[in-house]
Amino acid sequence: MNKVIVLCKRPVGKPALDDFKTNIEDVPSADDGEVLLKTTYVSVDPYLRGRMNDSESYIPPFELDKPIQSGIIAEVIDSNNTRFKVGDFVLGNLFWKEYQVSDGKDLRVIPKDPAYLTAYLGVLGMTGLTAYLGLTEIGLPKPGKTLVVSGAAGAVGSIVGQVGKLLGCKVIGLTGSDEKVHLLTSKFHFDAAINYKTAADLSGAIKAACPDGVDIYFDNVGGKISDDVLNNINKHARIPLCGAISLYNDADPVLGPYIQPVLVKKSALIQGFIVGDFADQFAEATKQLTSWLMDGKLTYHETIYEGFDRIPQAFLGLFDGSNEGKMIVKI
Amino acid sequence: MNKVIVLCKRPVGKPALDDFKTNIEDVPSADDGEVLLKTTYVSVDPYLRGRMNDSESYIPPFELDKPIQSGIIAEVIDSNNTRFKVGDFVLGNLFWKEYQVSDGKDLRVIPKDPAYLTAYLGVLGMTGLTAYLGLTEIGLPKPGKTLVVSGAAGAVGSIVGQVGKLLGCKVIGLTGSDEKVHLLTSKFHFDAAINYKTAADLSGAIKAACPDGVDIYFDNVGGKISDDVLNNINKHARIPLCGAISLYNDADPVLGPYIQPVLVKKSALIQGFIVGDFADQFAEATKQLTSWLMDGKLTYHETIYEGFDRIPQAFLGLFDGSNEGKMIVKI
């Protein structure tokens, strides 16, 4: 008995549980050169929403009635591939299946240390690299600069803020609950955080928190929140644009004021990116993140749902802000 | 008798003739260290619109009932400054006055050659530097890339397109009349040009003209036209954002679809700039532009209004697309 979660219809607007369906298949067996994997931890990430649309993006759309794919940690339970032995834990872009086989080409064996196993889906994985490289390569942080982060309590945002602090910036986070405000300032060392849902005047609150203006804006959300940050940017502001989660679930394009005038006025730069744009720098960045993590200078938070069947629910939770830090499903 | 044009009220929306007033003053005389200047050519430029608002920008707003300032070529008619002699032509950011004195600090003597005198307000001045440096420093043109230019028949756009061709790009211009479409392809060597006012489906027309997609978009206009270009950008597109003339005259912010999703999807870069951001490179850029101009590889077009009193009218004409190339008033 092998459960497999497929996309059974394309979400229109906000995804719902009935966009997903669980099929039952046989547990496959490993052919020559293959390994049989048992899924242990599943990463759910906002970018998956884009792959659920039938439109061109930086990666092809998911196919209907085919299993969804995301970052997964799995245990090798049978191996006909000399690179892997039974009991190894591997990281890969794998399917939402309890069991699956792989030729091992895109799998990486990760240390078995249970204290850090899930870190490879977060701070030591794509999430950490996205945060670190987006901030350092596009934002160009320097001591004394003011950095604002939206989606600050999310997987990427919470690392961006800490890296900003480690590099000498003043860091202000924008987030969606008072609990998260507390988390940002107490656990992640942000200088200040603002609950954008309860701020009567978000632009004014950002101004008050950033008396010297905003030099770097690491944007995970887009939309109205970003307009309020743009009201406060300094000359030559730099804006790494990592995502636009506030806009992903709208069937029709959301309208807002054109941002070209403020970009001209401030000689500001916005650069959209995905982590793959900086593949040349993965090794060096991973080394830096690992070193900070081991030295206790970088911490991370996870929201862990339990049970294979709850993967879709965990994914939907990303759009309600149900997660603090990295959203992961433990199988 | 010395005519002086002042801003008598701040335009709301589109500027009108009655926002300007002509005062009569005495002709001043040059004190020690000063020169007396007679205005010869006045440059009117879209960016002046921003200075007419009472809001912070990259340069302070014009003051009410004070003369307006822009790029001007003037003749020295009296000099108590050893750097200048009577009969010299100088270039400076001067007032809309028939006669004025200056301490000479920000004035530059330019060659008297009548064939190129006005070029110092255009292709060999701020306009040419804006076009050349915005394109080369932000757009990073390379042979074989597809470059789209909006406001293509304007002072900056017509130079951007020619520089793009000289650097090996395929160049497509967006402009507002069939006469300008003809001008772009016949005189300025654009590969193709599109009349955005008559195109039934501008996005589709851009797609047809750019079968390999848009690699660089030199944006002078912002707004809806830019949305249609963004529909067609390639992965890693680069967008030097020089101006947003389509949005300058709206009293309330104009709404359009948020552009963050497409920027993320395409890992695209937008960078607002003013020419002063690249001041370090003025000398080298001027040398390159002069060399191309003298070799006949670069050409320019001017729309010249005559008469001091017509300066405001020439300025208003910028927003109607009345100019082809650089708009200048000859006194």
Side-chain angles (χ1 to χ4, degrees):
Chain A
M1 285 278 292
N2 184 20
K3 287 187 190 168
V4 173
I5 298 175
V6 302
L7 185 71
C8 62
K9 57 186 170 59
R10 301 201 179 278
V12 177
K14 194 169 169 177
L17 284 178
D18 64 0
D19 297 326
F20 305 93
K21 203 178 93 187
T22 301
N23 292 338
I24 305 295
E25 299 180 352
D26 289 334
V27 175
S29 55
D31 277 345
D32 274 1
E34 289 184 339
V35 287
L36 176 61
L37 302 173
K38 180 170 191 274
T39 296
T40 309
Y41 291 104
V42 176
S43 172
V44 293
D45 303 273
Y47 81 89
L48 298 172
R49 175 66 186 86
R51 293 194 70 182
M52 293 172 187
N53 294 332
D54 188 19
S55 67
E56 182 213 6
S57 184
Y58 51 83
I59 31 176
F62 291 124
E63 288 179 59
L64 281 183
D65 300 318
K66 296 280 172 70
I68 291 170
Q69 218 179 359
S70 70
I72 282 179
I73 291 173
E75 187 181 350
V76 176
I77 57 170
D78 188 19
S79 175
N80 292 317
N81 182 315
T82 52
R83 281 181 56 220
F84 307 94
K85 55 182 191 301
V86 171
D88 279 351
F89 282 92
V90 296
L91 173 68
N93 195 30
L94 294 165
F95 295 105
W96 289 4
K97 298 180 171 189
E98 287 180 299
Y99 298 92
Q100 59 196 296
V101 293
S102 162
D103 62 9
K105 258 187 228 157
D106 297 322
L107 298 182
R108 184 179 137 207
V109 177
I110 56 173
K112 243 173 262 190
D113 182 350
Y116 290 111
L117 202 54
T118 55
Y120 292 93
L121 293 177
V123 62
L124 298 182
M126 289 299 116
T127 306
L129 292 171
T130 299
Y132 179 82
L133 290 169
L135 178 62
T136 56
E137 293 294 313
I138 301 172
L140 306 183
K142 289 191 191 73
K145 296 267 182 195
T146 297
L147 163 66
V148 170
V149 187
S150 61
V156 170
S158 58
I159 299 170
V160 169
Q162 292 180 81
V163 171
K165 286 302 294 176
L166 286 165
L167 298 176
C169 294
K170 174 173 172 171
V171 180
I172 285 83
L174 309 181
T175 190
S177 76
D178 290 344
E179 291 70 30
K180 289 180 182 174
V181 165
H182 179 71
L183 184 73
L184 292 177
T185 52
S186 62
K187 180 164 177 177
F188 294 128
H189 314 298
F190 282 57
D191 294 287
I194 300 168
N195 181 345
Y196 70 85
K197 287 188 181 164
T198 55
D201 167 16
L202 181 57
S203 177
I206 294 166
K207 188 172 187 167
C210 306
D212 299 325
V214 178
D215 300 304
I216 307 169
Y217 171 44
F218 193 104
D219 190 3
N220 288 301
V221 304
K224 167 78 170 67
I225 294 172
S226 296
D227 294 336
D228 288 329
V229 180
L230 286 169
N231 280 341
N232 290 286
I233 59 172
N234 287 332
K235 181 91 184 161
H236 295 130
R238 301 183 66 92
I239 304 176
L241 174 61
C242 179
I245 195 170
S246 77
L247 305 168
Y248 286 171
N249 283 333
D250 296 285
D252 295 314
V254 186
L255 304 188
Y258 279 109
I259 63 176
Q260 286 96 346
V262 67
L263 298 179
V264 174
K265 197 187 266 197
K266 300 293 185 178
S267 289
L269 174 148
I270 299 192
Q271 187 172 349
F273 72 100
I274 57 166
V275 66
D277 295 339
F278 305 113
D280 290 352
Q281 287 146 89
F282 282 1
E284 200 186 341
T286 303
K287 206 172 131 188
Q288 176 65 79
L289 289 163
T290 306
S291 147
W292 278 333
L293 189 68
M294 298 303 159
D295 293 348
K297 290 180 175 165
L298 194 60
T299 186
Y300 61 99
H301 202 84
E302 292 168 338
T303 299
I304 299 192
Y305 282 33
E306 303 218 4
F308 186 83
D309 296 336
R310 295 184 73 207
I311 301 173
Q313 195 182 332
F315 173 68
L316 300 187
L318 294 170
F319 300 98
D320 299 331
S322 304
N323 58 311
E324 290 176 347
K326 186 74 190 87
M327 182 76 106
I328 290 173
V329 184
K330 181 177 179 179
I331 312 303
Chain B
M1 286 278 295
N2 184 20
K3 287 188 192 168
V4 174
I5 297 175
V6 302
L7 185 70
C8 62
K9 58 184 170 60
R10 301 200 179 279
V12 177
K14 195 169 169 177
L17 284 179
D18 65 0
D19 297 326
F20 305 92
K21 203 179 94 189
T22 301
N23 291 338
I24 305 294
E25 299 179 354
D26 289 335
V27 175
S29 56
D31 277 346
D32 274 2
E34 290 184 340
V35 287
L36 176 62
L37 303 173
K38 180 170 190 273
T39 296
T40 310
Y41 290 103
V42 176
S43 172
V44 292
D45 303 273
Y47 81 88
L48 298 171
R49 176 65 185 86
R51 294 193 71 181
M52 293 174 187
N53 294 332
D54 187 19
S55 68
E56 182 212 8
S57 184
Y58 51 83
I59 31 175
F62 290 123
E63 289 179 59
L64 281 183
D65 299 317
K66 296 280 172 67
I68 292 170
Q69 218 177 0
S70 69
I72 282 177
I73 292 172
E75 187 180 353
V76 176
I77 57 171
D78 188 17
S79 176
N80 292 317
N81 182 315
T82 52
R83 282 182 53 221
F84 306 93
K85 54 183 191 300
V86 171
D88 279 351
F89 282 91
V90 297
L91 173 69
N93 195 30
L94 294 165
F95 296 103
W96 288 4
K97 298 179 172 190
E98 288 180 300
Y99 298 92
Q100 59 198 296
V101 293
S102 162
D103 62 11
K105 260 186 227 157
D106 297 321
L107 296 182
R108 183 178 137 211
V109 177
I110 56 173
K112 243 174 263 191
D113 182 347
Y116 290 111
L117 202 52
T118 55
Y120 292 92
L121 293 178
V123 63
L124 298 181
M126 289 299 116
T127 306
L129 292 171
T130 299
Y132 178 82
L133 290 168
L135 179 62
T136 56
E137 294 294 314
I138 301 173
L140 306 183
K142 290 191 190 73
K145 296 267 182 196
T146 298
L147 163 66
V148 169
V149 186
S150 62
V156 171
S158 58
I159 298 170
V160 169
Q162 292 179 82
V163 170
K165 286 301 295 175
L166 286 165
L167 298 176
C169 295
K170 173 173 174 173
V171 181
I172 284 83
L174 309 180
T175 190
S177 76
D178 290 344
E179 291 70 30
K180 288 179 181 175
V181 165
H182 179 71
L183 184 72
L184 291 176
T185 51
S186 62
K187 180 164 178 178
F188 295 128
H189 314 298
F190 282 57
D191 294 287
I194 300 167
N195 181 345
Y196 71 84
K197 287 188 181 164
T198 56
D201 166 17
L202 181 55
S203 177
I206 294 166
K207 187 171 188 169
C210 306
D212 299 325
V214 178
D215 299 303
I216 307 168
Y217 171 43
F218 194 104
D219 189 5
N220 287 302
V221 305
K224 168 75 170 68
I225 293 171
S226 295
D227 295 336
D228 288 329
V229 181
L230 285 170
N231 281 341
N232 290 286
I233 58 172
N234 287 333
K235 181 89 184 162
H236 296 131
R238 302 184 65 93
I239 304 176
L241 174 60
C242 178
I245 195 170
S246 76
L247 304 168
Y248 287 169
N249 284 334
D250 295 285
D252 295 314
V254 185
L255 304 187
Y258 278 109
I259 63 175
Q260 285 96 344
V262 67
L263 298 180
V264 174
K265 197 186 267 198
K266 299 294 186 180
S267 288
L269 176 149
I270 299 193
Q271 187 173 348
F273 73 100
I274 58 167
V275 67
D277 295 339
F278 305 112
D280 290 353
Q281 287 146 88
F282 282 1
E284 199 185 341
T286 302
K287 206 172 130 187
Q288 176 64 78
L289 289 163
T290 306
S291 147
W292 278 333
L293 188 69
M294 298 304 159
D295 292 349
K297 289 180 176 166
L298 194 60
T299 186
Y300 60 100
H301 203 84
E302 293 167 338
T303 299
I304 300 190
Y305 282 33
E306 304 219 2
F308 186 83
D309 298 334
R310 295 185 74 206
I311 300 174
Q313 192 183 332
F315 173 67
L316 301 187
L318 294 171
F319 301 96
D320 300 331
S322 304
N323 58 311
E324 289 175 348
K326 186 76 191 85
M327 181 77 108
I328 290 172
V329 184
K330 181 178 180 179
I331 312 301

